[in-house]
């Protein structure tokens, strides 16, 4: 990757340097030649300014020779007496020149030999003499007609080009060096990511990349670290779940085996009373397997719901009525409060019954004798809310964020005595989410736990 970046930068630099050399050579040559052809080195621009002032005052060229090149002037030279040496008020210029109109007809020349070869072709290199924005004449220097400066122009252009080439080459080499450094710097975080990915592929989920900055590569590093953290957490959860499942299966299997061996050895007579513990443990195993199957289907989004419009008040009332004998036996007051009428909700009645019954059984386990469990159903603008509140000890603060995790028990020491595998609340939360709702847990202000179900219309 580093060498690919360096090769890319190198190609860009070489193309830029070659293009720059060609442009410099071409532009310098043309500019020097044009500048020389137009008398740029001879002071012709001053002469043009004088001619423009003269025409602005006189509106014609009558008297131009006497004005600028008077034979009786201080120099004592006529218009053919010296190379560019005029008299009167003429500005100094080392070249011979001619002043012509738009048809290359001579107006004035300081050397009659210059005017013999003038044509309109020379006007493209001539300096215009303007009045009110329009050319009224053209100044042609000796170089325009004789071409004597072509060699000088080419020599000067070559010299200027050669003087610029070292700067171009130095710039190119500097750019290549910077390309090498930038390529190394840009490739370094990618190498780190590659190394971290190799570690991840080898099973080391604890490896992370060091991230600094806010650019795209840094964001990629953050994403990688987040992915590695998620995989590590998933692996830890998988190991914990595997251990929990093995633990949950071990107890009923051990009880069954002990009872079966006792029956086999004749320690217990083969009676219905002695078979009852085996049947109970088998039921626990069956329920655990069914719970695990429900969770697996929910995780894979393959849990099928038979949803139809239902009156949730009637459905909840039926669950409460069926659970009433258990609460009465435990001397716990069970009360159901509702508004009387609510819109129907599209749901799977078997699954929602399972959720409500699960919450009631959970409240029954953790509510002491003489306590109460209250179910409140309320209609809202976008759905129905059901709260199950008990008068128990409540949920420890450190357990609120984990209460719906698989196999989690807030009271590890007593949860097995009170029954349950630690999957009930997890399944309830999954079933509510499958309906597009939400199940939350909190502690009531006056004590006890509150589980809230929200189901949208």
């Amino acid at each position: 990757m580093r060498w690919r970046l360096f090769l890319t930068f190198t190609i860009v630099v070489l193309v830029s340097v070659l293009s720059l050399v060609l442009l410099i050579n071409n532009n310098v040559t043309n500019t020097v030649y044009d500048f020389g052809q137009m008398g740029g080195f001879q002071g012709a621009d001053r002469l043009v300014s004088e001619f423009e002032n003269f025409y602005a005052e006189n509106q014609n060229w009558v008297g131009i020779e006497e004005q600028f090149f008077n034979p009786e002037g201080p120099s004592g030279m006529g218009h053919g007496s010296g190379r560019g040496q005029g008299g009167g008020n003429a500005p100094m210029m080392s070249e011979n020149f001619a002043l012509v109109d738009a048809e290359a007809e001579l107006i004035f020349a300081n050397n009659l030999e210059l005017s013999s070869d003038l044509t309109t072709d020379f006007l493209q290199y001539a300096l215009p003499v303007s009045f009110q924005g329009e050319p009224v004449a053209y100044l042609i220097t000796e170089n325009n007609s004789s071409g004597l400066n072509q060699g000088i122009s080419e020599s000067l252009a070559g010299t200027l080009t050669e003087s610029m080439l070292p700067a171009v080459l130095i710039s190119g080499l500097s750019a290549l060096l910077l390309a090498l450094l930038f390529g190394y710097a840009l490739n370094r975080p990618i190498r780190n990511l590659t190394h971290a990915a190799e570690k991840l592929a080898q099973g080391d989920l604890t490896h992370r990349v060091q991230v600094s900055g806010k650019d795209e590569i840094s964001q990629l590093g953050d994403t990688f670290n987040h992915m590695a953290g998620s995989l590590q957490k998933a692996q830890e959860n998988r190991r914990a779940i595997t251990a929990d499942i093995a633990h949950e299966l071990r107890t009923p299997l051990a009880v069954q085996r002990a009872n079966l061996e006792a029956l086999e050895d004749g320690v217990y007579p083969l009676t219905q009373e002695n078979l009852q513990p085996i049947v109970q443990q088998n039921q626990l195993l069956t329920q655990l397997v069914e719970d695990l199957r429900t969770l697996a289907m929910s995780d894979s989004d393959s849990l099928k719901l038979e949803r139809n419009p239902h009156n949730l008040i009637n459905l909840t009332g039926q669950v409460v009525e069926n659970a009433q004998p258990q609460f009465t036996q435990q001397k716990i007051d069970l009360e159901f409060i509702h508004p009387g009428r609510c819109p129907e909700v599209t749901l799977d009645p078997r699954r929602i019954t399972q959720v409500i019954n699960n919450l009631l059984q959970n409240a029954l386990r953790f509510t002491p004798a003489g306590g109460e469990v209250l179910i409140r159903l309320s209609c809202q603008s976008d759905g129905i809310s059901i709260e199950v509140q008990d008068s128990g000890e409540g949920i420890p603060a450190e357990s609120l964020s984990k209460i719906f995790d698989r196999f989690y028990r807030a009271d590890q020491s007593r949860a097995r005595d009170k029954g349950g595998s630690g999957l009930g609340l997890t399944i309830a939360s999954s079933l509510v989410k499958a309906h597009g709702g939400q199940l939350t847990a909190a502690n009531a202000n006056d004590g006890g736990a509150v589980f809230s179900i929200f189901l949208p219309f």
Side-chain angles (χ1 to χ4, degrees), residues 215-245:
D215 56 10
E216 290 78 3
I217 296 181
S218 299
Q219 293 176 5
L220 179 61
D222 286 332
T223 303
F224 177 87
N225 289 339
H226 179 73
M227 178 190 68
S230 299
L231 290 175
Q232 183 180 7
K233 183 178 180 181
Q235 185 185 57
E236 293 172 353
N237 290 339
R238 179 178 59 81
R239 291 174 178 173
I241 289 173
T242 303
D244 289 336
I245 292 175

Short mmCIF file of all heavy atoms in Angstrom, two decimals, residues 215-245:
data_model
loop_
_atom_site.label_atom_id
_atom_site.label_comp_id
_atom_site.label_asym_id
_atom_site.label_seq_id
_atom_site.Cartn_x
_atom_site.Cartn_y
_atom_site.Cartn_z
N ASP A 215 -10.15 12.15 11.20
CA ASP A 215 -10.26 11.91 9.76
C ASP A 215 -10.91 10.55 9.50
O ASP A 215 -11.32 9.84 10.43
CB ASP A 215 -8.89 12.00 9.09
CG ASP A 215 -7.87 11.04 9.71
OD1 ASP A 215 -8.29 10.19 10.52
OD2 ASP A 215 -6.68 11.14 9.38
N GLU A 216 -11.01 10.20 8.19
CA GLU A 216 -11.71 8.98 7.81
C GLU A 216 -11.02 7.73 8.36
O GLU A 216 -11.68 6.77 8.78
CB GLU A 216 -11.82 8.88 6.28
CG GLU A 216 -12.77 9.89 5.65
CD GLU A 216 -12.18 11.28 5.54
OE1 GLU A 216 -11.00 11.45 5.89
OE2 GLU A 216 -12.90 12.20 5.08
N ILE A 217 -9.67 7.72 8.36
CA ILE A 217 -8.94 6.55 8.86
C ILE A 217 -9.16 6.41 10.37
O ILE A 217 -9.29 5.29 10.89
CB ILE A 217 -7.45 6.67 8.51
CG1 ILE A 217 -7.26 6.65 6.99
CG2 ILE A 217 -6.65 5.54 9.15
CD1 ILE A 217 -5.82 6.74 6.55
N SER A 218 -9.21 7.54 11.07
CA SER A 218 -9.50 7.49 12.51
C SER A 218 -10.90 6.95 12.77
O SER A 218 -11.12 6.17 13.70
CB SER A 218 -9.34 8.88 13.13
OG SER A 218 -8.02 9.36 12.97
N GLN A 219 -11.85 7.37 11.94
CA GLN A 219 -13.21 6.84 12.08
C GLN A 219 -13.24 5.34 11.82
O GLN A 219 -13.97 4.60 12.48
CB GLN A 219 -14.14 7.58 11.12
CG GLN A 219 -14.33 9.05 11.46
CD GLN A 219 -15.18 9.78 10.43
OE1 GLN A 219 -15.72 9.17 9.51
NE2 GLN A 219 -15.32 11.08 10.58
N LEU A 220 -12.43 4.90 10.83
CA LEU A 220 -12.33 3.47 10.56
C LEU A 220 -11.75 2.74 11.77
O LEU A 220 -12.21 1.64 12.12
CB LEU A 220 -11.47 3.24 9.32
CG LEU A 220 -11.23 1.78 8.91
CD1 LEU A 220 -12.56 1.10 8.58
CD2 LEU A 220 -10.29 1.71 7.71
N GLY A 221 -10.73 3.35 12.42
CA GLY A 221 -10.17 2.75 13.62
C GLY A 221 -11.19 2.66 14.75
O GLY A 221 -11.27 1.63 15.45
N ASP A 222 -11.98 3.72 14.94
CA ASP A 222 -13.04 3.69 15.96
C ASP A 222 -14.06 2.58 15.66
O ASP A 222 -14.51 1.87 16.56
CB ASP A 222 -13.75 5.04 16.02
CG ASP A 222 -12.89 6.11 16.69
OD1 ASP A 222 -12.06 5.74 17.54
OD2 ASP A 222 -13.04 7.30 16.35
N THR A 223 -14.42 2.47 14.38
CA THR A 223 -15.37 1.44 13.99
C THR A 223 -14.81 0.04 14.25
O THR A 223 -15.51 -0.85 14.73
CB THR A 223 -15.74 1.58 12.51
OG1 THR A 223 -16.25 2.89 12.27
CG2 THR A 223 -16.79 0.57 12.10
N PHE A 224 -13.52 -0.14 13.93
CA PHE A 224 -12.89 -1.44 14.20
C PHE A 224 -12.89 -1.75 15.68
O PHE A 224 -13.20 -2.88 16.09
CB PHE A 224 -11.45 -1.44 13.65
CG PHE A 224 -10.70 -2.70 13.93
CD1 PHE A 224 -10.79 -3.78 13.07
CD2 PHE A 224 -9.91 -2.82 15.07
CE1 PHE A 224 -10.11 -4.96 13.33
CE2 PHE A 224 -9.23 -3.99 15.34
CZ PHE A 224 -9.32 -5.06 14.46
N ASN A 225 -12.52 -0.78 16.52
CA ASN A 225 -12.49 -1.01 17.96
C ASN A 225 -13.89 -1.34 18.49
O ASN A 225 -14.05 -2.21 19.35
CB ASN A 225 -11.94 0.22 18.68
CG ASN A 225 -10.44 0.40 18.45
OD1 ASN A 225 -9.73 -0.54 18.10
ND2 ASN A 225 -9.96 1.60 18.64
N HIS A 226 -14.89 -0.63 17.95
CA HIS A 226 -16.27 -0.91 18.36
C HIS A 226 -16.67 -2.32 17.95
O HIS A 226 -17.31 -3.05 18.73
CB HIS A 226 -17.21 0.12 17.74
CG HIS A 226 -18.65 -0.09 18.10
ND1 HIS A 226 -19.16 0.17 19.35
CD2 HIS A 226 -19.68 -0.55 17.35
CE1 HIS A 226 -20.45 -0.12 19.37
NE2 HIS A 226 -20.79 -0.56 18.17
N MET A 227 -16.29 -2.72 16.73
CA MET A 227 -16.60 -4.07 16.27
C MET A 227 -15.91 -5.12 17.13
O MET A 227 -16.52 -6.12 17.53
CB MET A 227 -16.17 -4.22 14.81
CG MET A 227 -16.41 -5.61 14.23
SD MET A 227 -15.63 -5.85 12.62
CE MET A 227 -13.89 -5.81 13.11
N ALA A 228 -14.61 -4.89 17.43
CA ALA A 228 -13.88 -5.83 18.26
C ALA A 228 -14.50 -5.93 19.66
O ALA A 228 -14.61 -7.03 20.23
CB ALA A 228 -12.42 -5.41 18.36
N GLY A 229 -14.92 -4.78 20.21
CA GLY A 229 -15.57 -4.80 21.51
C GLY A 229 -16.89 -5.57 21.48
O GLY A 229 -17.20 -6.32 22.42
N SER A 230 -17.66 -5.38 20.40
CA SER A 230 -18.92 -6.11 20.27
C SER A 230 -18.69 -7.61 20.16
O SER A 230 -19.40 -8.42 20.78
CB SER A 230 -19.70 -5.60 19.05
OG SER A 230 -20.00 -4.23 19.18
N LEU A 231 -17.67 -7.99 19.38
CA LEU A 231 -17.36 -9.42 19.25
C LEU A 231 -16.89 -10.01 20.57
O LEU A 231 -17.26 -11.14 20.93
CB LEU A 231 -16.28 -9.61 18.17
CG LEU A 231 -16.71 -9.34 16.72
CD1 LEU A 231 -15.52 -9.45 15.79
CD2 LEU A 231 -17.80 -10.32 16.29
N GLN A 232 -16.07 -9.23 21.30
CA GLN A 232 -15.59 -9.72 22.60
C GLN A 232 -16.75 -9.90 23.58
O GLN A 232 -16.83 -10.91 24.28
CB GLN A 232 -14.57 -8.75 23.17
CG GLN A 232 -13.96 -9.21 24.48
CD GLN A 232 -12.94 -8.21 25.03
OE1 GLN A 232 -12.78 -7.11 24.50
NE2 GLN A 232 -12.24 -8.60 26.09
N LYS A 233 -17.65 -8.91 23.57
CA LYS A 233 -18.81 -9.02 24.46
C LYS A 233 -19.70 -10.19 24.06
O LYS A 233 -20.22 -10.92 24.92
CB LYS A 233 -19.61 -7.71 24.43
CG LYS A 233 -20.79 -7.69 25.39
CD LYS A 233 -21.51 -6.36 25.35
CE LYS A 233 -22.69 -6.35 26.31
NZ LYS A 233 -23.42 -5.05 26.27
N ALA A 234 -19.88 -10.37 22.73
CA ALA A 234 -20.70 -11.49 22.27
C ALA A 234 -20.08 -12.82 22.65
O ALA A 234 -20.79 -13.77 23.05
CB ALA A 234 -20.88 -11.41 20.75
N GLN A 235 -18.75 -12.90 22.56
CA GLN A 235 -18.07 -14.14 22.94
C GLN A 235 -18.23 -14.40 24.43
O GLN A 235 -18.50 -15.54 24.86
CB GLN A 235 -16.59 -14.07 22.57
CG GLN A 235 -15.84 -15.37 22.83
CD GLN A 235 -14.35 -15.23 22.57
OE1 GLN A 235 -13.69 -14.38 23.16
NE2 GLN A 235 -13.81 -16.05 21.67
N GLU A 236 -18.07 -13.35 25.24
CA GLU A 236 -18.23 -13.51 26.69
C GLU A 236 -19.66 -13.92 27.03
O GLU A 236 -19.89 -14.78 27.89
CB GLU A 236 -17.86 -12.21 27.39
CG GLU A 236 -16.37 -11.86 27.29
CD GLU A 236 -16.06 -10.49 27.83
OE1 GLU A 236 -17.02 -9.75 28.15
OE2 GLU A 236 -14.87 -10.14 27.92
N ASN A 237 -20.64 -13.29 26.34
CA ASN A 237 -22.04 -13.65 26.58
C ASN A 237 -22.30 -15.10 26.18
O ASN A 237 -23.03 -15.83 26.86
CB ASN A 237 -22.96 -12.72 25.81
CG ASN A 237 -22.97 -11.32 26.39
OD1 ASN A 237 -22.60 -11.11 27.54
ND2 ASN A 237 -23.38 -10.34 25.59
N ARG A 238 -21.70 -15.51 25.03
CA ARG A 238 -21.91 -16.89 24.57
C ARG A 238 -21.34 -17.89 25.58
O ARG A 238 -21.98 -18.91 25.89
CB ARG A 238 -21.25 -17.08 23.21
CG ARG A 238 -21.38 -18.47 22.64
CD ARG A 238 -20.74 -18.57 21.28
NE ARG A 238 -19.33 -18.21 21.33
CZ ARG A 238 -18.37 -19.05 21.70
NH1 ARG A 238 -18.67 -20.29 22.09
NH2 ARG A 238 -17.10 -18.67 21.71
N ARG A 239 -20.15 -17.58 26.08
CA ARG A 239 -19.56 -18.48 27.08
C ARG A 239 -20.40 -18.51 28.35
O ARG A 239 -20.62 -19.59 28.94
CB ARG A 239 -18.14 -18.02 27.40
CG ARG A 239 -17.15 -18.23 26.26
CD ARG A 239 -15.82 -17.62 26.59
NE ARG A 239 -14.84 -17.86 25.52
CZ ARG A 239 -13.63 -17.32 25.48
NH1 ARG A 239 -13.24 -16.52 26.47
NH2 ARG A 239 -12.82 -17.59 24.48
N ALA A 240 -20.88 -17.33 28.76
CA ALA A 240 -21.70 -17.28 29.98
C ALA A 240 -23.01 -18.02 29.78
O ALA A 240 -23.47 -18.76 30.68
CB ALA A 240 -21.96 -15.83 30.36
N ILE A 241 -23.62 -17.85 28.59
CA ILE A 241 -24.88 -18.52 28.32
C ILE A 241 -24.69 -20.03 28.28
O ILE A 241 -25.49 -20.81 28.81
CB ILE A 241 -25.48 -18.01 27.00
CG1 ILE A 241 -25.97 -16.58 27.18
CG2 ILE A 241 -26.61 -18.90 26.53
CD1 ILE A 241 -26.41 -15.93 25.89
N THR A 242 -23.59 -20.46 27.63
CA THR A 242 -23.30 -21.90 27.58
C THR A 242 -23.14 -22.47 28.99
O THR A 242 -23.67 -23.55 29.31
CB THR A 242 -22.02 -22.16 26.76
OG1 THR A 242 -22.19 -21.62 25.45
CG2 THR A 242 -21.74 -23.64 26.66
N ALA A 243 -22.40 -21.73 29.84
CA ALA A 243 -22.22 -22.20 31.22
C ALA A 243 -23.55 -22.20 31.98
O ALA A 243 -23.83 -23.13 32.75
CB ALA A 243 -21.20 -21.31 31.93
N ASP A 244 -24.36 -21.16 31.75
CA ASP A 244 -25.65 -21.09 32.45
C ASP A 244 -26.58 -22.20 32.00
O ASP A 244 -27.31 -22.79 32.82
CB ASP A 244 -26.29 -19.73 32.21
CG ASP A 244 -25.57 -18.61 32.95
OD1 ASP A 244 -24.92 -18.91 33.96
OD2 ASP A 244 -25.66 -17.45 32.50
N ILE A 245 -26.61 -22.47 30.70
CA ILE A 245 -27.47 -23.55 30.20
C ILE A 245 -27.04 -24.88 30.80
O ILE A 245 -27.87 -25.69 31.24
CB ILE A 245 -27.43 -23.59 28.66
CG1 ILE A 245 -28.11 -22.34 28.08
CG2 ILE A 245 -28.10 -24.85 28.14
CD1 ILE A 245 -28.01 -22.25 26.57
#
